[in-house]
Short mmCIF file of all heavy atoms in Angstrom, two decimals:
data_model
loop_
_atom_site.label_atom_id
_atom_site.label_comp_id
_atom_site.label_asym_id
_atom_site.label_seq_id
_atom_site.Cartn_x
_atom_site.Cartn_y
_atom_site.Cartn_z
N SER A 1415 10.98 -0.33 38.59
CA SER A 1415 11.07 -1.69 39.13
C SER A 1415 9.69 -2.26 39.42
O SER A 1415 9.54 -3.41 39.75
CB SER A 1415 11.91 -1.65 40.43
OG SER A 1415 11.29 -0.76 41.33
N GLU A 1416 8.66 -1.39 39.26
CA GLU A 1416 7.30 -1.87 39.53
C GLU A 1416 6.89 -2.90 38.50
O GLU A 1416 6.99 -2.66 37.30
CB GLU A 1416 6.31 -0.70 39.41
CG GLU A 1416 6.01 -0.02 40.70
CD GLU A 1416 4.98 1.08 40.47
OE1 GLU A 1416 3.86 0.74 40.07
OE2 GLU A 1416 5.32 2.25 40.67
N LYS A 1417 6.46 -4.01 38.92
CA LYS A 1417 5.98 -5.03 38.00
C LYS A 1417 4.55 -5.39 38.37
O LYS A 1417 4.28 -5.71 39.54
CB LYS A 1417 6.85 -6.29 38.07
CG LYS A 1417 8.29 -6.07 37.65
CD LYS A 1417 8.42 -6.04 36.14
CE LYS A 1417 9.88 -5.94 35.75
NZ LYS A 1417 10.04 -5.76 34.31
N GLN A 1418 3.65 -5.29 37.39
CA GLN A 1418 2.26 -5.66 37.67
C GLN A 1418 2.11 -7.17 37.57
O GLN A 1418 2.80 -7.83 36.78
CB GLN A 1418 1.33 -4.99 36.65
CG GLN A 1418 1.35 -3.47 36.70
CD GLN A 1418 0.63 -2.93 37.91
OE1 GLN A 1418 -0.02 -3.65 38.65
NE2 GLN A 1418 0.78 -1.63 38.13
N ASP A 1419 1.17 -7.66 38.32
CA ASP A 1419 0.83 -9.07 38.27
C ASP A 1419 0.24 -9.39 36.88
O ASP A 1419 -0.62 -8.66 36.38
CB ASP A 1419 -0.19 -9.33 39.38
CG ASP A 1419 -0.78 -10.70 39.26
OD1 ASP A 1419 -0.02 -11.64 39.01
OD2 ASP A 1419 -2.02 -10.82 39.40
N THR A 1420 0.69 -10.45 36.24
CA THR A 1420 0.22 -10.76 34.88
C THR A 1420 -1.27 -11.08 34.85
O THR A 1420 -1.95 -10.77 33.88
CB THR A 1420 0.99 -11.96 34.29
OG1 THR A 1420 0.96 -13.03 35.23
CG2 THR A 1420 2.40 -11.60 33.93
N GLN A 1421 -1.77 -11.69 35.92
CA GLN A 1421 -3.21 -11.99 35.96
C GLN A 1421 -4.02 -10.70 35.97
O GLN A 1421 -5.03 -10.57 35.27
CB GLN A 1421 -3.55 -12.80 37.24
CG GLN A 1421 -2.92 -14.16 37.30
CD GLN A 1421 -3.64 -15.15 36.38
OE1 GLN A 1421 -4.49 -14.76 35.62
NE2 GLN A 1421 -3.27 -16.41 36.43
N TYR A 1422 -3.53 -9.77 36.75
CA TYR A 1422 -4.23 -8.48 36.84
C TYR A 1422 -4.16 -7.76 35.49
O TYR A 1422 -5.16 -7.22 34.99
CB TYR A 1422 -3.57 -7.64 37.95
CG TYR A 1422 -4.14 -6.24 38.07
CD1 TYR A 1422 -5.47 -6.05 38.42
CD2 TYR A 1422 -3.34 -5.13 37.86
CE1 TYR A 1422 -5.99 -4.76 38.53
CE2 TYR A 1422 -3.85 -3.85 37.97
CZ TYR A 1422 -5.18 -3.66 38.29
OH TYR A 1422 -5.69 -2.39 38.39
N LEU A 1423 -2.97 -7.79 34.90
CA LEU A 1423 -2.82 -7.17 33.58
C LEU A 1423 -3.76 -7.83 32.57
O LEU A 1423 -4.39 -7.16 31.75
CB LEU A 1423 -1.37 -7.32 33.09
CG LEU A 1423 -0.36 -6.36 33.67
CD1 LEU A 1423 1.05 -6.76 33.22
CD2 LEU A 1423 -0.65 -4.93 33.21
N ALA A 1424 -3.84 -9.16 32.64
CA ALA A 1424 -4.69 -9.88 31.69
C ALA A 1424 -6.15 -9.43 31.81
O ALA A 1424 -6.84 -9.23 30.81
CB ALA A 1424 -4.58 -11.38 31.93
N GLN A 1425 -6.60 -9.24 33.04
CA GLN A 1425 -7.99 -8.81 33.23
C GLN A 1425 -8.23 -7.42 32.66
O GLN A 1425 -9.25 -7.15 32.03
CB GLN A 1425 -8.32 -8.81 34.72
CG GLN A 1425 -8.84 -10.14 35.18
CD GLN A 1425 -9.40 -10.10 36.58
OE1 GLN A 1425 -9.22 -9.10 37.29
NE2 GLN A 1425 -10.04 -11.17 36.99
N ILE A 1426 -7.25 -6.55 32.87
CA ILE A 1426 -7.40 -5.18 32.33
C ILE A 1426 -7.41 -5.22 30.81
O ILE A 1426 -8.22 -4.55 30.16
CB ILE A 1426 -6.25 -4.27 32.84
CG1 ILE A 1426 -6.39 -4.07 34.35
CG2 ILE A 1426 -6.28 -2.94 32.12
CD1 ILE A 1426 -5.26 -3.27 34.95
N ILE A 1427 -6.49 -6.01 30.27
CA ILE A 1427 -6.42 -6.09 28.79
C ILE A 1427 -7.74 -6.61 28.24
O ILE A 1427 -8.28 -6.08 27.26
CB ILE A 1427 -5.26 -7.01 28.37
CG1 ILE A 1427 -3.92 -6.35 28.69
CG2 ILE A 1427 -5.33 -7.34 26.89
CD1 ILE A 1427 -2.75 -7.31 28.69
N LYS A 1428 -8.26 -7.62 28.88
CA LYS A 1428 -9.47 -8.27 28.36
C LYS A 1428 -10.72 -7.40 28.54
O LYS A 1428 -11.51 -7.24 27.61
CB LYS A 1428 -9.66 -9.61 29.09
CG LYS A 1428 -10.88 -10.40 28.66
CD LYS A 1428 -10.58 -11.27 27.46
CE LYS A 1428 -11.76 -12.20 27.16
NZ LYS A 1428 -11.58 -12.87 25.87
N PHE A 1429 -10.89 -6.82 29.73
CA PHE A 1429 -12.16 -6.13 30.01
C PHE A 1429 -12.02 -4.63 30.26
O PHE A 1429 -13.03 -3.96 30.48
CB PHE A 1429 -12.83 -6.77 31.23
CG PHE A 1429 -13.12 -8.24 31.04
CD1 PHE A 1429 -12.45 -9.20 31.78
CD2 PHE A 1429 -14.04 -8.66 30.10
CE1 PHE A 1429 -12.70 -10.55 31.61
CE2 PHE A 1429 -14.30 -10.01 29.92
CZ PHE A 1429 -13.62 -10.96 30.67
N GLY A 1430 -10.81 -4.10 30.24
CA GLY A 1430 -10.64 -2.68 30.50
C GLY A 1430 -10.81 -2.38 31.97
O GLY A 1430 -10.84 -3.28 32.83
N ILE A 1431 -10.93 -1.08 32.27
CA ILE A 1431 -11.13 -0.67 33.67
C ILE A 1431 -12.45 0.10 33.73
O ILE A 1431 -12.63 1.10 33.02
CB ILE A 1431 -9.97 0.22 34.17
CG1 ILE A 1431 -8.64 -0.54 34.02
CG2 ILE A 1431 -10.21 0.62 35.62
CD1 ILE A 1431 -7.42 0.29 34.36
N GLN A 1432 -13.33 -0.41 34.57
CA GLN A 1432 -14.66 0.18 34.69
C GLN A 1432 -14.59 1.66 35.05
O GLN A 1432 -13.74 2.07 35.84
CB GLN A 1432 -15.44 -0.60 35.76
CG GLN A 1432 -16.94 -0.42 35.74
CD GLN A 1432 -17.56 -1.04 34.48
OE1 GLN A 1432 -17.04 -1.97 33.93
NE2 GLN A 1432 -18.68 -0.48 34.05
N ASP A 1433 -15.47 2.45 34.46
CA ASP A 1433 -15.60 3.89 34.74
C ASP A 1433 -14.36 4.70 34.37
O ASP A 1433 -14.12 5.78 34.92
CB ASP A 1433 -15.93 4.13 36.23
CG ASP A 1433 -17.25 3.48 36.61
OD1 ASP A 1433 -18.16 3.46 35.75
OD2 ASP A 1433 -17.35 2.96 37.73
N THR A 1434 -13.55 4.19 33.47
CA THR A 1434 -12.44 4.98 32.92
C THR A 1434 -12.50 4.87 31.39
O THR A 1434 -13.37 4.18 30.85
CB THR A 1434 -11.06 4.46 33.38
OG1 THR A 1434 -10.80 3.23 32.70
CG2 THR A 1434 -11.00 4.25 34.89
N ASP A 1435 -11.56 5.51 30.72
CA ASP A 1435 -11.54 5.42 29.26
C ASP A 1435 -10.76 4.20 28.77
O ASP A 1435 -10.62 3.99 27.58
CB ASP A 1435 -10.90 6.69 28.67
CG ASP A 1435 -11.79 7.90 28.88
OD1 ASP A 1435 -13.02 7.72 28.89
OD2 ASP A 1435 -11.26 9.02 29.07
N MET A 1436 -10.22 3.42 29.70
CA MET A 1436 -9.47 2.22 29.31
C MET A 1436 -10.45 1.15 28.80
O MET A 1436 -11.29 0.66 29.56
CB MET A 1436 -8.68 1.69 30.52
CG MET A 1436 -8.04 0.32 30.29
SD MET A 1436 -6.71 0.37 29.06
CE MET A 1436 -6.56 -1.38 28.68
#
Side-chain angles (χ1 to χ4, degrees):
Chain A
S1415 57
E1416 266 182 63
K1417 297 281 185 186
Q1418 297 286 352
D1419 170 44
T1420 51
Q1421 295 284 8
Y1422 176 63
L1423 281 173
Q1425 271 190 349
I1426 293 176
I1427 291 164
K1428 180 86 173 170
F1429 301 112
I1431 303 174
Q1432 197 68 27
D1433 300 325
T1434 72
D1435 292 328
M1436 171 67 197

